[in-house]
Amino acid sequence: MNTAIARISLPRLIELGGDSLNKLPEVLRSLDSQRPYMICDGLMRDIGVQAKVQQACAKAGVELTDGDVFSDVMPEPTEDSLQPAIRAMAEGNYDGVIALGGGSAIDSAKAIAYLAAKGGRMSDYKVPAICDQPGLPLVAIPTTAGTGSEATQFTIITDADSDEKMLCKGLAFLPQAAIVDYKLSLTVPARVTADTGIDALTHAIEAYVSKRANDFSDQQALAAMKLIAPNLRSAFHDGNDEEAREKLMLGSHLAGVAFSNASVALVHGMSRPIGAHFHVPHGMSNAMLLPAVTKYSIPAAIERYAHCTKAMAIVSEETDEQVACDALLLWLEALNKELLVPSPAEFGINKDEFMNKLDIMAEQALASGSPGNNPRVPSESEMKDIYLELW
């Protein structure tokens, strides 16, 4: 038992389960929001999910017209891409924000809700700054089982000038409410299911092995692994498997709770620069790195990684710790193969360009702070060696 004091932060209100989107009217009333602004991407508009949210708002007597929606979220949001929404909020006298979609939409909404209230640029608020003063109230409605952003006090926005993924942290970025409705994930395609699912699994593993883990985050992380590991393949192969989707969505949420109250570590630190420089989806770059980083990290946390392996039911509880860790590496490699995770070359990254970026990627990874939470803390040289393993 870890007796150290741990600060735990959670959304004020979480609506969980199938059709929990119908609870949106009650959630808005609890936040005293009569004029919310919605952030989503074009897919949510095109497949009718945006309309479902608008209908739910109408039941609360809240008119949410198409003019009250910013649906141009980009997959890896940049600071400049947020400006149209921030200007619209300044002109519209809005009193809250609804985020609908995956991690990019929720991260964008967190930044927009904060900047609309506080002004400035996201570069003013990146780590090591800590932003605890609240922005506008935010309701996060995830449609993918992956980022867990609806439960975290982080947002990541790219500086397009430097290709840096800026990590911003603090209670300001923790949504006041989350609606976790697995039925909204039934339309997610297989590729996104794989990428976001491995992202969620990475959150759980890294939260558990992190130097900042605590008793509370440990329980959430282990529970998340138990839910994600047996169901990710099923959801990938059959997107209409509601039982798998429900467990995957809950696992993603718990993984978000876990790493928000502990931290992520080396995988995420090294993943962000790959995404920023080569536009690889975040979950996919995590998946590329997870086996190699796990192999590097195991010697410093054999017991913890063995616990992960056993929680995922890869081996029995009686299995020797080193044997369990060896089995984890084989399982992660097999998972990537089955879920068709590409190598950097298969994704289309030019090897020479990748090599030319090694120094800046290692520098940016280290500056994010995440590698310092890893059980084995690497030097920049060691991170470059891990990047090279991906080829």
PDB file of all heavy atoms in Angstrom, residues 357-375:
ATOM      1  N   LYS A 357      15.036  14.109 -38.219  1.00  0.00           N
ATOM      2  CA  LYS A 357      14.224  14.691 -37.139  1.00  0.00           C
ATOM      3  C   LYS A 357      14.538  14.067 -35.770  1.00  0.00           C
ATOM      4  O   LYS A 357      13.943  14.462 -34.759  1.00  0.00           O
ATOM      5  CB  LYS A 357      12.736  14.487 -37.436  1.00  0.00           C
ATOM      6  CG  LYS A 357      12.206  15.241 -38.651  1.00  0.00           C
ATOM      7  CD  LYS A 357      11.980  16.708 -38.345  1.00  0.00           C
ATOM      8  CE  LYS A 357      11.247  17.409 -39.486  1.00  0.00           C
ATOM      9  NZ  LYS A 357      11.001  18.838 -39.174  1.00  0.00           N
ATOM     10  N   LEU A 358      15.443  13.092 -35.711  1.00  0.00           N
ATOM     11  CA  LEU A 358      15.675  12.372 -34.460  1.00  0.00           C
ATOM     12  C   LEU A 358      16.043  13.301 -33.315  1.00  0.00           C
ATOM     13  O   LEU A 358      15.526  13.170 -32.197  1.00  0.00           O
ATOM     14  CB  LEU A 358      16.766  11.318 -34.652  1.00  0.00           C
ATOM     15  CG  LEU A 358      16.370  10.037 -35.401  1.00  0.00           C
ATOM     16  CD1 LEU A 358      17.583   9.126 -35.530  1.00  0.00           C
ATOM     17  CD2 LEU A 358      15.236   9.314 -34.687  1.00  0.00           C
ATOM     18  N   ASP A 359      16.936  14.240 -33.568  1.00  0.00           N
ATOM     19  CA  ASP A 359      17.391  15.126 -32.493  1.00  0.00           C
ATOM     20  C   ASP A 359      16.254  15.978 -31.946  1.00  0.00           C
ATOM     21  O   ASP A 359      16.041  16.049 -30.725  1.00  0.00           O
ATOM     22  CB  ASP A 359      18.519  16.029 -32.992  1.00  0.00           C
ATOM     23  CG  ASP A 359      19.833  15.288 -33.191  1.00  0.00           C
ATOM     24  OD1 ASP A 359      19.984  14.198 -32.606  1.00  0.00           O
ATOM     25  OD2 ASP A 359      20.691  15.783 -33.940  1.00  0.00           O
ATOM     26  N   ILE A 360      15.495  16.603 -32.840  1.00  0.00           N
ATOM     27  CA  ILE A 360      14.419  17.482 -32.378  1.00  0.00           C
ATOM     28  C   ILE A 360      13.300  16.678 -31.733  1.00  0.00           C
ATOM     29  O   ILE A 360      12.693  17.116 -30.742  1.00  0.00           O
ATOM     30  CB  ILE A 360      13.869  18.363 -33.541  1.00  0.00           C
ATOM     31  CG1 ILE A 360      12.853  19.372 -33.014  1.00  0.00           C
ATOM     32  CG2 ILE A 360      13.255  17.527 -34.654  1.00  0.00           C
ATOM     33  CD1 ILE A 360      13.410  20.382 -32.053  1.00  0.00           C
ATOM     34  N   MET A 361      13.009  15.463 -32.238  1.00  0.00           N
ATOM     35  CA  MET A 361      11.966  14.641 -31.625  1.00  0.00           C
ATOM     36  C   MET A 361      12.362  14.232 -30.210  1.00  0.00           C
ATOM     37  O   MET A 361      11.542  14.288 -29.283  1.00  0.00           O
ATOM     38  CB  MET A 361      11.664  13.414 -32.479  1.00  0.00           C
ATOM     39  CG  MET A 361      10.926  13.731 -33.768  1.00  0.00           C
ATOM     40  SD  MET A 361      10.140  12.281 -34.537  1.00  0.00           S
ATOM     41  CE  MET A 361      11.566  11.246 -34.884  1.00  0.00           C
ATOM     42  N   ALA A 362      13.625  13.827 -30.035  1.00  0.00           N
ATOM     43  CA  ALA A 362      14.076  13.444 -28.704  1.00  0.00           C
ATOM     44  C   ALA A 362      14.060  14.650 -27.751  1.00  0.00           C
ATOM     45  O   ALA A 362      13.658  14.527 -26.584  1.00  0.00           O
ATOM     46  CB  ALA A 362      15.474  12.850 -28.782  1.00  0.00           C
ATOM     47  N   GLU A 363      14.452  15.810 -28.247  1.00  0.00           N
ATOM     48  CA  GLU A 363      14.422  17.023 -27.422  1.00  0.00           C
ATOM     49  C   GLU A 363      12.998  17.362 -26.998  1.00  0.00           C
ATOM     50  O   GLU A 363      12.739  17.689 -25.833  1.00  0.00           O
ATOM     51  CB  GLU A 363      15.025  18.195 -28.198  1.00  0.00           C
ATOM     52  CG  GLU A 363      16.530  18.113 -28.403  1.00  0.00           C
ATOM     53  CD  GLU A 363      17.032  19.186 -29.358  1.00  0.00           C
ATOM     54  OE1 GLU A 363      16.241  20.113 -29.673  1.00  0.00           O
ATOM     55  OE2 GLU A 363      18.196  19.106 -29.792  1.00  0.00           O
ATOM     56  N   GLN A 364      12.053  17.314 -27.946  1.00  0.00           N
ATOM     57  CA  GLN A 364      10.663  17.652 -27.632  1.00  0.00           C
ATOM     58  C   GLN A 364      10.042  16.617 -26.696  1.00  0.00           C
ATOM     59  O   GLN A 364       9.256  16.975 -25.809  1.00  0.00           O
ATOM     60  CB  GLN A 364       9.856  17.782 -28.921  1.00  0.00           C
ATOM     61  CG  GLN A 364      10.238  19.004 -29.741  1.00  0.00           C
ATOM     62  CD  GLN A 364       9.478  19.107 -31.047  1.00  0.00           C
ATOM     63  OE1 GLN A 364       8.862  18.140 -31.515  1.00  0.00           O
ATOM     64  NE2 GLN A 364       9.521  20.272 -31.671  1.00  0.00           N
ATOM     65  N   ALA A 365      10.389  15.351 -26.888  1.00  0.00           N
ATOM     66  CA  ALA A 365       9.870  14.311 -25.999  1.00  0.00           C
ATOM     67  C   ALA A 365      10.331  14.554 -24.572  1.00  0.00           C
ATOM     68  O   ALA A 365       9.537  14.506 -23.620  1.00  0.00           O
ATOM     69  CB  ALA A 365      10.329  12.934 -26.478  1.00  0.00           C
ATOM     70  N   LEU A 366      11.593  14.841 -24.404  1.00  0.00           N
ATOM     71  CA  LEU A 366      12.141  15.080 -23.069  1.00  0.00           C
ATOM     72  C   LEU A 366      11.532  16.329 -22.431  1.00  0.00           C
ATOM     73  O   LEU A 366      11.190  16.343 -21.250  1.00  0.00           O
ATOM     74  CB  LEU A 366      13.656  15.216 -23.156  1.00  0.00           C
ATOM     75  CG  LEU A 366      14.427  15.150 -21.841  1.00  0.00           C
ATOM     76  CD1 LEU A 366      14.218  13.788 -21.177  1.00  0.00           C
ATOM     77  CD2 LEU A 366      15.912  15.392 -22.085  1.00  0.00           C
ATOM     78  N   ALA A 367      11.351  17.377 -23.244  1.00  0.00           N
ATOM     79  CA  ALA A 367      10.819  18.641 -22.722  1.00  0.00           C
ATOM     80  C   ALA A 367       9.376  18.506 -22.249  1.00  0.00           C
ATOM     81  O   ALA A 367       8.930  19.271 -21.388  1.00  0.00           O
ATOM     82  CB  ALA A 367      10.914  19.724 -23.793  1.00  0.00           C
ATOM     83  N   SER A 368       8.635  17.537 -22.778  1.00  0.00           N
ATOM     84  CA  SER A 368       7.233  17.359 -22.375  1.00  0.00           C
ATOM     85  C   SER A 368       7.100  16.908 -20.931  1.00  0.00           C
ATOM     86  O   SER A 368       6.032  17.035 -20.325  1.00  0.00           O
ATOM     87  CB  SER A 368       6.540  16.346 -23.285  1.00  0.00           C
ATOM     88  OG  SER A 368       6.962  15.014 -22.989  1.00  0.00           O
ATOM     89  N   GLY A 369       8.154  16.328 -20.382  1.00  0.00           N
ATOM     90  CA  GLY A 369       8.113  15.850 -19.004  1.00  0.00           C
ATOM     91  C   GLY A 369       7.675  14.411 -18.851  1.00  0.00           C
ATOM     92  O   GLY A 369       7.976  13.768 -17.840  1.00  0.00           O
ATOM     93  N   SER A 370       6.976  13.872 -19.833  1.00  0.00           N
ATOM     94  CA  SER A 370       6.443  12.511 -19.711  1.00  0.00           C
ATOM     95  C   SER A 370       7.530  11.446 -19.548  1.00  0.00           C
ATOM     96  O   SER A 370       7.367  10.523 -18.739  1.00  0.00           O
ATOM     97  CB  SER A 370       5.561  12.179 -20.918  1.00  0.00           C
ATOM     98  OG  SER A 370       4.442  13.035 -20.979  1.00  0.00           O
ATOM     99  N   PRO A 371       8.651  11.515 -20.289  1.00  0.00           N
ATOM    100  CA  PRO A 371       9.682  10.491 -20.091  1.00  0.00           C
ATOM    101  C   PRO A 371      10.215  10.433 -18.668  1.00  0.00           C
ATOM    102  O   PRO A 371      10.640   9.372 -18.194  1.00  0.00           O
ATOM    103  CB  PRO A 371      10.782  10.896 -21.085  1.00  0.00           C
ATOM    104  CG  PRO A 371      10.052  11.593 -22.184  1.00  0.00           C
ATOM    105  CD  PRO A 371       8.970  12.374 -21.458  1.00  0.00           C
ATOM    106  N   GLY A 372      10.184  11.552 -17.953  1.00  0.00           N
ATOM    107  CA  GLY A 372      10.657  11.565 -16.575  1.00  0.00           C
ATOM    108  C   GLY A 372       9.790  10.773 -15.626  1.00  0.00           C
ATOM    109  O   GLY A 372      10.217  10.452 -14.508  1.00  0.00           O
ATOM    110  N   ASN A 373       8.559  10.437 -16.046  1.00  0.00           N
ATOM    111  CA  ASN A 373       7.669   9.629 -15.222  1.00  0.00           C
ATOM    112  C   ASN A 373       7.885   8.133 -15.445  1.00  0.00           C
ATOM    113  O   ASN A 373       7.308   7.312 -14.728  1.00  0.00           O
ATOM    114  CB  ASN A 373       6.201   9.956 -15.545  1.00  0.00           C
ATOM    115  CG  ASN A 373       5.875  11.416 -15.317  1.00  0.00           C
ATOM    116  OD1 ASN A 373       6.353  12.020 -14.366  1.00  0.00           O
ATOM    117  ND2 ASN A 373       5.050  11.989 -16.192  1.00  0.00           N
ATOM    118  N   ASN A 374       8.665   7.772 -16.447  1.00  0.00           N
ATOM    119  CA  ASN A 374       8.873   6.368 -16.803  1.00  0.00           C
ATOM    120  C   ASN A 374       9.671   5.660 -15.709  1.00  0.00           C
ATOM    121  O   ASN A 374      10.527   6.270 -15.066  1.00  0.00           O
ATOM    122  CB  ASN A 374       9.641   6.290 -18.135  1.00  0.00           C
ATOM    123  CG  ASN A 374       9.321   5.023 -18.906  1.00  0.00           C
ATOM    124  OD1 ASN A 374       8.158   4.766 -19.203  1.00  0.00           O
ATOM    125  ND2 ASN A 374      10.333   4.249 -19.232  1.00  0.00           N
ATOM    126  N   PRO A 375       9.416   4.361 -15.490  1.00  0.00           N
ATOM    127  CA  PRO A 375      10.201   3.659 -14.466  1.00  0.00           C
ATOM    128  C   PRO A 375      11.694   3.639 -14.783  1.00  0.00           C
ATOM    129  O   PRO A 375      12.525   3.616 -13.880  1.00  0.00           O
ATOM    130  CB  PRO A 375       9.610   2.242 -14.471  1.00  0.00           C
ATOM    131  CG  PRO A 375       8.834   2.128 -15.739  1.00  0.00           C
ATOM    132  CD  PRO A 375       8.363   3.510 -16.058  1.00  0.00           C
TER     133      PRO A 375
END
